[in-house]
Amino acid sequence: MRMTIFTFSADGGWQTIEDFLAVPDVSDCAEERALAGFSKYPALSVGDTEGGAFCVEIYGREFGAASRKQSQYEYLVAVDVGDSGEFIAIPSLPDLLEFMRLTIPLCVTIDDWRIRHEKYMAEIEEKLNSGRQK
């Protein structure tokens, strides 16, 4: 179980805070997010959502939704790097935009590299297979 998560703000940078999402009787991250008032589904997903190389998913607060827990954060970002995932709490829209300015180019670059790598590997496999058939 997580004990801390990260928070990011444009003026304060990166910090570690107590995990306000954690609920002792809940093991599902989607349910933890919902209980804290964040949407079930990401409002934005950027990067490799299928292969898990690097992905950023942004969840917004559902204002007016009944939530078991209250939070001072308007946004929650899930960052997946390979097999590891982290949540980042973001206080406001300007902070989210700064976070995106820093991370989205990285997501796009890694995803582009992955696509090119897969294409290159498919071409190599095709050439190897055509050489075996002769």
Side-chain angles (χ1 to χ4, degrees):
M1 176 184 253
R2 300 178 312 264
M3 299 303 230
T4 61
I5 63 173
F6 293 102
T7 183
F8 175 83
S9 66
D11 58 347
W14 292 93
Q15 296 179 14
T16 304
I17 59 171
E18 183 178 335
D19 184 359
F20 65 92
L21 296 172
V23 178
D25 56 337
V26 176
S27 61
D28 180 40
C29 289
E31 187 175 349
E32 285 180 331
R33 285 190 306 269
L35 290 171
F38 293 96
S39 64
K40 280 186 168 181
Y41 303 103
L44 176 67
S45 291
V46 181
D48 184 9
T49 58
E50 295 175 13
F54 190 84
C55 176
V56 172
E57 296 179 321
I58 299 170
Y59 299 85
R61 290 285 305 234
E62 291 184 341
F63 294 103
S67 63
R68 193 191 311 182
K69 304 174 119 188
Q70 294 300 318
S71 168
Q72 65 191 40
Y73 302 97
E74 290 183 36
Y75 301 95
L76 185 66
V77 177
V79 176
D80 292 321
V81 180
D83 292 336
S84 177
E86 295 287 337
F87 285 108
I88 296 108
I90 309 284
S92 67
L93 181 59
D95 299 312
L96 176 63
L97 294 175
E98 178 63 14
F99 175 83
M100 290 172 63
R101 186 185 72 77
L102 296 171
T103 58
I104 299 304
L106 183 59
C107 289
V108 172
T109 300
I110 291 172
D111 199 36
D112 183 52
W113 174 86
R114 182 189 55 81
I115 291 167
R116 280 196 249 161
H117 180 264
E118 287 175 359
K119 183 179 175 182
Y120 178 69
M121 295 305 290
E123 288 173 6
I124 290 173
E125 185 69 29
E126 184 179 319
K127 286 178 183 180
L128 288 173
N129 287 337
S130 68
R132 290 181 189 143
Q133 293 174 358
K134 291 181 180 181

